[in-house]
């Protein structure tokens, strides 16, 4: 086997293993990228680091940092104003204890689709889910899977218009918008939602039949009541308004306002010598988030006595996620620049003559290796995006369908045991992989992969 290919495989395995062991990707990505470069032979290490790795990292930050920043601020303000909890409590109160699993999933889904970070959602919803399961005598071990289903499946990758970063990453590569392939995306979301809730409700019923109840568990910090910055949380209508505005404004800017604007100046060199198709989706999400943050603050100003602290905290909270993902992009760019990567590229492209299958396989594999949906998709599209787009054009495949398949594929193998969100979720709930990961795997890996396959089959039949 070619030594360069051995270096690539070795570095990928080490990235997965060491990330699972808890070592931060900020230090792992450059070291392991350079390890692969070293084993490839004849590759200058310093030049590779500064001119390839860091250039790709910087390019990603330039393109996507506003989305991470605004999303983190929006999520923090939703949490600190009490809006996130108000939405969750409203949904739970309407569905009741007999539909506890569905109530938890919907609570997370509404919040994440409205732009709230999945980490914020986990902290906001867990205390409610825990109390609901305790009262209904449903095993606590099912809570992580319910939160995972609502937080990082259908609202992250499937539903059109979602402000999740996973829905934004494909836009520059395929010239698409956040509403790409709306019908097939909605279908995929329904498969994930109904398939996942069916599984969880079945598991809860099976536990009840065996006499298994909530169980005996040591208290964790998140079990304590969630003290918002105010003792007077907003009414549901006020709490949900900013989340709804993100989606509505996103669509308004995408289809009405930005097309109406004169953007011919983008062809000039100082503006990147580009056109509106490459930036329209990102512009729309930026504008929607900014205006929704303004609305959120206006509606909840008295509930945000430490507004400056909330904004500062959200700002700082955006830095680690964006640089973690950007480091993974730098890693992917470095691997792609190595001569041996041509073998990997040809193998991925050779999986199928259908570029939908190729983009699904490559994104799933890389997302699984890195334990990151956004990181895996960014690596796949950074290295192979141009080839995927070219094949799609040759075969008459809608770029919107390519966008949706890429986004869906990022949310499959990403949720393997070493995924950061999975580890954080288990820590919040005070559970471990042995207790809860089996159900997480079904609702966040298996069912999303089935949904992706369904979209590929239906999309291919429509060609």
């Amino acid at each position: 086997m070619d030594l360069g290919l051995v270096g690539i495989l070795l570095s990928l395995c080490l990235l997965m293993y060491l990330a699972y062991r808890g070592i931060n990707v900020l230090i792992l990505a450059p070291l392991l990228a350079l390890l692969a470069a070293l084993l490839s032979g004849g590759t200058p290490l310093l030049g590779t680091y500064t001119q390839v790795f860091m250039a790709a990292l910087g390019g990603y930050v330039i393109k996507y940092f506003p989305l991470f920043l605004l999303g983190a601020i929006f999520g923090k303000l939703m949490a600190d104003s009490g809006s996130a909890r108000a939405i969750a409590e409203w949904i739970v109160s309407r569905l009741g204890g007999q539909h506890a699993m569905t109530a938890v999933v919907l609570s997370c889904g509404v919040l994440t689709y409205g732009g709230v970070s999945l980490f914020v959602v986990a902290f906001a919803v867990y205390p409610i889910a825990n109390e609901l399961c305790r009262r209904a005598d449903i095993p606590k071990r099912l809570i992580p899977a319910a939160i995972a289903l609502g937080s990082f499946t259908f609202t992250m990758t499937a539903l059109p218009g979602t402000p999740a970063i996973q829905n934004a990453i494909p836009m520059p590569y395929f010239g698409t918008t956040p509403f790409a392939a709306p019908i097939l995306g909605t279908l995929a979301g329904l498969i994930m939602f109904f398939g996942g809730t069916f599984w969880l409700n079945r598991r809860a019923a099976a536990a009840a039949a065996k006499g298994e109840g909530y169980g005996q568990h040591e208290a964790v910090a998140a079990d304590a009541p969630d003290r918002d910055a105010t003792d007077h949380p907003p009414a549901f209508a006020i709490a949900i308004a900013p989340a709804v505005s993100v989606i509505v404004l996103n669509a308004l800017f995408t289809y009405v306002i930005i097309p109406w604007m004169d953007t011919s100046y983008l062809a000039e060199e100082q503006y990147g010598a580009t056109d509106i198709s490459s930036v329209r989706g990102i512009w729309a999400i930026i504008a929607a988030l900014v205006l929704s943050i303004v609305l959120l603050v206006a509606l909840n100003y008295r509930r945000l006595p430490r507004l400056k602290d909330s904004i500062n905290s959200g700002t700082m909270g955006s830095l680690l996620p964006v640089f973690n993902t950007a480091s993974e992009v730098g890693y992917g760019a470095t691997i792609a620049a190595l001569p041996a990567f041509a073998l990997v590229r040809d193998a991925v492209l050779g999986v199928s003559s259908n570029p939908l299958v190729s983009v699904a396989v490559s994104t799933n594999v890389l997302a699984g290796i890195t334990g990151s949906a956004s990181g895996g998709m960014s690596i796949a599209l950074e290295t192979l995006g141009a080839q995927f787009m070219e094949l799609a054009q040759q075969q008459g495949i809608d770029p919107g369908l390519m966008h949706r398949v890429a986004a869906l594929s990022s949310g499959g193998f990403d949720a393997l045991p070493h995924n950061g969100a999975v580890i954080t979720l288990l820590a919040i709930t005070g559970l471990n992989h042995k207790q809860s990961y089996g159900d997480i795997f079904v609702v966040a890996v298996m069912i999303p992969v089935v949904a992706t396959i369904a979209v590929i089959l239906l999309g291919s039949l429509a060609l």
Side-chain angles (χ1 to χ4, degrees):
M1 182 181 291
D2 182 86
L3 184 58
L5 184 58
V6 170
I8 291 175
L9 295 176
L10 176 61
S11 94
L12 286 173
C13 291
L14 286 174
L15 178 63
M16 182 168 58
Y17 173 74
L18 294 175
Y20 176 77
R21 301 294 297 176
I23 299 178
N24 194 287
V25 73
L26 284 176
I27 190 65
L28 277 182
L31 289 178
L32 294 178
L34 294 178
L35 172 64
L38 177 65
L39 293 178
S40 71
T43 302
L45 297 186
L46 290 177
T48 297
Y49 176 67
T50 60
Q51 306 307 115
V52 180
F53 181 92
M54 287 305 299
L57 182 152
Y60 185 87
V61 172
I62 289 171
K63 189 178 296 182
Y64 294 113
F65 178 64
L67 305 188
F68 279 86
L69 173 66
L70 294 171
I73 292 174
F74 181 83
K76 181 61 176 172
L77 291 174
M78 285 287 287
D80 288 355
S81 66
S83 297
R85 180 156 191 171
I87 294 170
E89 289 179 341
W90 186 90
I91 294 174
V92 169
S93 68
R94 294 303 185 277
L95 292 178
Q98 69 272 27
H99 300 292
M101 293 291 96
T102 303
V104 174
V105 173
L106 282 176
S107 298
C108 296
V110 169
L111 291 169
T112 50
Y113 192 50
V116 182
S117 163
L118 67 90
F119 296 103
V120 172
V121 169
F123 278 106
V125 173
Y126 167 68
I128 303 165
N130 189 48
E131 186 60 27
L132 189 63
C133 287
R134 191 195 308 274
R135 292 178 184 177
D137 206 26
I138 294 173
K140 181 182 178 182
R141 60 181 172 81
L142 296 177
I143 293 177
I147 295 177
L149 175 59
S151 298
F152 44 93
T153 60
F154 58 96
T155 59
M156 184 178 81
T157 64
L159 296 186
T162 175
I165 190 66
Q166 290 78 8
N167 193 39
I169 289 172
M171 295 189 299
Y173 298 96
F174 301 123
T176 49
T177 74
F179 296 88
I183 296 176
L184 289 175
T186 301
L187 175 63
L190 292 175
I191 292 173
M192 293 182 204
F193 173 75
F194 286 109
T197 53
F198 173 79
W199 173 264
L200 291 174
N201 288 327
R202 181 181 176 184
R203 293 281 285 167
K210 293 188 298 185
E212 179 187 358
Y214 174 81
Q216 298 295 321
H217 302 278
E218 294 183 8
V220 294
D223 286 332
D226 184 18
R227 303 293 184 186
D228 293 312
T230 174
D231 293 328
H232 306 285
F236 174 75
I238 293 176
I240 197 75
V244 172
S245 75
V246 173
I247 306 302
V248 173
L249 289 172
N250 193 352
L252 185 63
F253 275 94
T254 297
Y255 295 113
V256 179
I257 297 177
I258 293 178
W260 171 78
M261 296 166 55
D262 178 13
T263 57
S264 58
Y265 63 87
L266 290 173
E268 299 175 16
E269 191 66 31
Q270 63 178 322
Y271 295 108
T274 186
D275 57 63
I276 190 59
S277 64
S278 65
V279 295
R280 177 177 55 181
I282 292 176
W283 283 11
I285 295 180
I286 289 174
L289 283 171
V290 168
L291 293 177
S292 296
I293 288 171
V294 172
L295 175 63
L296 197 165
V297 172
L299 292 175
N300 297 281
Y301 187 76
R302 293 184 178 180
R303 300 182 187 90
L304 294 166
R306 294 183 292 276
L307 177 60
K308 180 183 70 175
D309 293 340
S310 296
I311 293 175
N312 287 343
S313 178
T315 299
M316 297 305 295
S318 70
L319 298 180
L320 186 58
V322 71
F323 276 98
N324 274 343
T325 305
S327 292
E328 290 167 346
V329 171
Y331 173 86
T334 303
I335 297 297
L338 300 178
F341 183 76
L343 300 173
V344 178
R345 182 192 61 212
D346 293 342
V348 169
L349 291 174
V351 168
S352 171
S353 59
N354 187 338
L356 294 172
V357 175
S358 294
V359 74
V361 171
S362 61
T363 303
N364 260 303
V365 168
L366 289 168
I369 289 170
T370 61
S372 167
S374 56
M377 178 165 51
S378 296
I379 292 172
L381 296 182
E382 187 70 25
T383 55
L384 299 166
Q387 290 95 321
F388 290 144
M389 187 60 179
E390 181 180 353
L391 288 173
Q393 290 173 337
Q394 291 173 358
Q395 299 183 26
I397 297 175
D398 179 14
L401 180 56
M402 292 291 292
H403 170 131
R404 188 55 54 205
V405 169
L408 288 170
S409 301
S410 74
F413 289 176
D414 71 305
L416 293 178
H418 61 292
N419 174 268
V422 169
I423 293 172
T424 299
L425 182 55
L426 291 174
I428 291 172
T429 57
L431 297 166
N432 56 44
H433 282 78
K434 182 178 180 180
Q435 293 169 305
S436 297
Y437 183 72
D439 293 301
I440 294 175
F441 180 80
V442 172
V443 302
V445 178
M446 287 183 59
I447 294 176
V449 169
V450 169
T452 304
I453 293 172
V455 168
I456 292 174
L457 291 175
L458 291 173
S460 299
L461 289 174
L463 295 178

